[in-house]
């Protein structure tokens, strides 16, 4: 990327100095975002740019408010070199996770450092929620912004994780009848208006899969399935490094999947808050606790009989998914696998053997914190950087 091609200098034309400068700028900014503070020399080595070009680049990015100096590198022979980093004041993002009992909002600067967090408790099936969803989102974001000492003008992107999926054809949230306040066709526009920033609504399990791609068990895998076993049940399918969404956004909604031992679920959208059948009726956290007489999940799954029965149900459902998708890896995530731990994983692995010819790796997520928020944050940062880091 260090060279330039003679041209008439027209902006936006491949090969022009302006486009090549923008490409070099983006490469340097991506390196700083990924590695943290770097010296001018190191940036030049990693990008292949000459010293004068790297100096011009850094001066340009400093003037644009995208890069700043942050001390000097010590402990090496010769003069201490100046360190450069992404200027955290260049912009901020918001990430939210919606669940049946409320909303959690996180605000981070453009480097990914969390600067504010706020939680609002709100029963998703309350009568008035459908009329005030946008207000609740704004309240949660405002609370996180207040902690950070920031305002709406500082936000460059907002990503919200929610059960279900947005249908690309009509903009409605599907596969989440227990969240009535989120089903408006105009919800994204309403949210963008109250927040003053572009808003993306993404399936929560898809976001958990993005978190696994970025810093979890799936970092080295382009083809994997994340099975989310919690109070809700679903899956994210990643093929060739890309999320599979399906025609209506419902790819991976395995909670509704018919499996042996589960009543057939018919008309889920007409029964808000009630799951009468399907895979979810056998393996959700509340079901496991109920079968163990109300014990906490960890205690319930310490019982070999409960654990073995659950493992059989999980393996049967995974066998169907594996037979169709043939992933390299299956990641078990959510509170049920976390409570069951390695004993549950080993049992599922044993039950899965022979049910499907492919033999994917089977791992339990080891991510700290909320993977849905982590995935929402990574997605928001990608969107914001694509805008802020485009110096063309």
């Amino acid at each position: 990327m260090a060279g330039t091609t003679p041209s008439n200098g027209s902006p936006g034309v491949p090969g022009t100095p302006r486009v090549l400068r923008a490409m070099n700028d983006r490469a340097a900014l991506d390196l700083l975002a990924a590695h943290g503070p770097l010296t001018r020399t190191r940036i030049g080595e990693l990008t292949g740019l000459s010293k004068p070009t790297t100096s011009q680049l850094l001066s340009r990015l400093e003037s644009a408010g995208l890069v700043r100096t942050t001390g000097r590198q010590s402990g090496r022979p010769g003069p201490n070199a100046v360190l450069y980093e992404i200027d955290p004041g260049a912009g901020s993002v918001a990430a939210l996770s919606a669940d049946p009992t409320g909303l959690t909002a996180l605000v981070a600067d453009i480097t990914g450092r969390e600067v504010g967090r706020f939680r609002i408790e709100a029963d998703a099936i309350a009568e008035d929620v459908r009329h005030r969803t946008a207000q609740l989102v704004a309240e949660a974001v405002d609370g996180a912004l207040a902690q950070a000492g920031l305002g709406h003008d500082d936000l460059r992107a907002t990503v919200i994780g929610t059960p279900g999926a947005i249908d690309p054809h009509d903009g409605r949230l599907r596969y989440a009848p227990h969240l009535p306040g989120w089903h408006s066709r105009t919800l994204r526009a309403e949210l963008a208006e109250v927040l003053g920033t572009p808003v993306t609504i993404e399936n929560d399990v898809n976001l958990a899969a993005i978190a696994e791609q970025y810093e979890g068990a799936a970092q080295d895998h382009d083809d994997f399935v994340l099975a989310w076993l919690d109070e809700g049940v679903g899956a994210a399918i990643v093929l060739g490094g890309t999320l599979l969404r399906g025609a209506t956004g419902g790819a991976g909604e395995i909670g509704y999947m018919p499996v042996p031992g589960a009543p057939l679920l018919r008309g889920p959208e007409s029964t808000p808050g009630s799951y009468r059948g399907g895979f979810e009726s056998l393996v959700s956290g509340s079901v496991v606790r109920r079968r163990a007489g109300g014990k906490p999940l960890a205690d319930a799954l310490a019982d070999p009989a409960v654990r073995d029965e659950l493992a059989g149900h999980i393996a049967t459902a995974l066998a169907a998914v594996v037979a169709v998708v043939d992933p390299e890896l299956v990641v078990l995530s959510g509170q049920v696998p976390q409570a069951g731990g390695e004993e549950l994983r080993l049992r599922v692995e044993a039950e899965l053997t022979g049910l499907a010819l492919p033999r994917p790796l089977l791992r339990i997520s080891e991510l700290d914190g909320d993977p849905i928020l982590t995935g929402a944050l990574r997605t928001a940062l990608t969107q914001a950087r694509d805008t802020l880091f485009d110096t063309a």
Side-chain angles (χ1 to χ4, degrees), residues 199-249:
V199 174
T200 298
I201 301 174
E202 177 62 277
N203 174 261
D204 52 1
V205 182
N206 284 348
L207 292 176
I210 289 171
E212 292 291 344
Q213 280 183 301
Y214 180 76
E215 57 184 47
Q219 289 182 79
D220 300 321
H221 299 271
D222 289 331
D223 299 278
F224 72 96
V225 170
L226 181 135
W228 180 263
L229 308 174
D230 207 279
E231 291 308 307
V233 173
I237 301 169
V238 177
L239 299 177
T242 302
L243 280 164
L244 179 66
R245 299 182 181 278
T248 63

Side-chain angles (χ1 to χ4, degrees), residues 42-128:
R42 186 58 178 153
I43 293 171
E45 291 172 349
L46 292 172
T47 59
L49 299 173
S50 66
K51 288 183 179 180
T53 301
T54 303
S55 295
Q56 293 169 7
L57 176 153
L58 289 170
S59 178
R60 188 165 59 246
L61 294 179
E62 276 193 280
S63 298
L66 294 174
V67 165
R68 69 180 186 182
T69 58
T70 176
R72 293 178 174 271
Q73 187 180 58
S74 59
R76 301 180 67 178
N80 293 336
V82 174
L83 289 167
Y84 295 86
E85 67 176 2
I86 300 292
D87 189 337
S92 300
V93 299
L96 293 92
S97 175
D99 58 64
T101 63
L103 283 163
T104 301
L106 176 157
V107 170
D109 63 36
I110 199 64
T111 70
R113 180 177 64 93
E114 181 179 332
V115 292
R117 184 184 290 243
F118 196 77
R119 169 79 181 173
I120 287 182
E121 301 297 335
D123 187 347
I125 60 174
E127 285 296 321
D128 62 339

Side-chain angles (χ1 to χ4, degrees), residues 221-227 236-240 318-331 352 356-362:
H221 299 271
D222 289 331
D223 299 278
F224 72 96
V225 170
L226 181 135
I237 301 169
V238 177
L239 299 177
L318 289 181
V321 176
V322 167
V324 174
V325 179
D326 188 18
E328 300 172 311
L329 168 72
V330 174
V331 180
L352 187 58
L357 290 180
R359 293 288 303 275
L361 297 171
L362 184 66

